[in-house]
Amino acid sequence: MRIAVVGTGYVGLVAGACFAESGNDVVCVDKDETKIRTLKRGKMPIYEPGLEEVVRRNRAEGRLTFTTTLPKAVRDSQVVFIAVGTPQGEDGSADLKHVLAVAGEIAKAMNGYKVIVDKSTVPVGTSQKVREVIRQNTTHPFSVVSNPEFLKQGAAIDDFMKPDRVVIGAEDARAQEIMLELYSPFTRTGAPIMVMDCASAELAKYAANAMLASRISFMNEVANVCELVGADVDQVRRAIGSDRRIGNAFLFPGVGYGGSCFPKDVQAMIRFASDRDYEFKILQAVERVNQLQKGRLFTKIKKHFGNLKGKTVAVWGLAFKPKTDDMREAPAIPLIEALLNAGVTVQAHDPEAMKIARGLFGSKITYATNNYDALKGADCLAIVTEWNEFRGPDFERMRSLMRSPVIFDGRNLFTPDQMKQSRFTYYSVGRH
Ligand code: NAD
């Protein structure tokens, strides 16, 4: 099939590369000229494990191309995906300006029947809005499909190639058939393709992210109570996770959720419910708990040291989660800002997010080339992202580099026993 994917970000680039990998001819479109130039040079604009290889292979075989010219890409394609950003607007709602602008551009370029697929995360009713914009700008026949994306950054290629399920909101048989054909290579292992109405497909994406965010905030509150009553959140987690109704995934307390999805999608869901006079009370609490959790590591550091002025803090991990360079809404940002405001010198290291961090903090912090260098002369270490490479460090070496052996572990990478043996003062989340 000939496919255009408009928006070559974390979702669009992965989707485009994976559709090419399954034999389709894909053109990825983005208005960001630097991004397209980078891709044409064979370089990746983002860090995502395995992506570069898939892109390289499919470019070499001529199935994957990149352009800033949308009209030709649309004319040459049967299916056009919209995968542009839907950032949080000032009132918390999803800002649809990019989606609707692209819909208008697609319509003006159409030269025959097209399936226009919305892959961006959008509130219920957006497929209807996209339909109206297209209708106003073309006389050609078309179908609008809602196909929310559930991939996780850091495991995006795997998630796309082997999805748990594919959700398709399609309200006509012709579009349904095309979508089923397109996705059949990805669901050979038995994952279901769920065809439903557009409103349900659109809502399913928000409900999934809201549920996952709720689990995180719930466990963060359980951890906070553990700290007060002398319980161990790891034991509590194991005890409840083994209940099949609950399950083990997504029960890890930490420094609060970040990224480009959970925070904005929780806000958007609260907002589109309130637009219909419904107060989504649980999600309001999920959001509030998350804000508070993002401040807890700093509070612990402040409580330990009292006056922080003149102290040096090493920070391990800047990306909002491991295996990505993405720092959107990363918990490291408010922590570093609070430390800087308190007069602290911050020495940070992240395996992939240093370039993005430089753009955010410039010369306000120092960037260590590896995790040990970040510890030189530090009064303590704050662990913010659970990169695998931080899990088994040489504690003796760490002690010898630091001014004082104190660790604030926001991700429970080590055990309190291990830390006692290694003679560290150790603060973690929900454990003693
Ligand atoms: P992103 O910011 O990484 O990429 C969006 C891209 O769209 C950018 O490259 C931007 O230049 C481009 N763009 C914007 N307007 C354009 C236009 N008019 N023409 C051409 N290109 C344009 O965003 P993302 O993280 O890939 O997310 C895209 C959508 O997918 C969002 O709605 C998001 O909520 C959703 N989503 C994201 C993830 C994720 O893990 N990042 C997962 C599932 C769903």
Side-chain angles (χ1 to χ4, degrees), residues 6-12 29-32 35 70 83-86 98 101-102 105 119-121 149-153 205 260-261 264-265 326 328:
V6 187
T8 311
Y10 287 88
V11 167
V29 186
D30 206 290
K31 65 175 182 184
D32 182 336
K35 197 172 261 192
L70 180 137
V84 296
T86 45
H98 301 302
V102 168
E105 287 178 58
K119 202 163 228 346
S120 300
T121 301
E149 181 50 57
F150 295 93
L151 63 75
K152 302 182 287 294
Q153 284 173 232
K205 174 64 194 174
S260 68
C261 293
K264 89 169 164 57
D265 293 349
D326 196 348
R328 290 180 283 187

Side-chain angles (χ1 to χ4, degrees), residues 29 32 60 89 96 98 125 143 151 154 164 169 210 237 288 293-294 298 302 306 327 351 356 358 360 410 421-422:
V29 186
D32 182 336
L96 295 177
H98 301 302
S143 303
L151 63 75
D164 289 338
R237 176 176 57 75
R288 170 111 184 96
Q293 197 71 15
K294 282 184 170 176
F298 176 75
K302 177 104 179 71
M327 283 191 68
I356 289 177
R358 269 180 223 277
L360 291 172
Q421 272 169 23
S422 304

Side-chain angles (χ1 to χ4, degrees), residues 300-348:
K300 286 179 185 173
I301 298 172
K302 177 104 179 71
K303 195 168 164 203
H304 176 88
F305 288 106
N307 187 3
L308 283 171
K309 201 164 175 18
K311 299 280 182 217
T312 298
V313 174
V315 174
W316 281 8
L318 298 164
F320 85 95
K321 68 172 185 172
K323 296 188 187 171
T324 184
D325 58 350
D326 196 348
M327 283 191 68
R328 290 180 283 187
E329 302 286 327
I333 297 172
L335 171 68
I336 290 173
E337 279 168 355
L339 290 169
L340 292 175
N341 284 339
V344 167
T345 299
V346 175
Q347 302 178 164

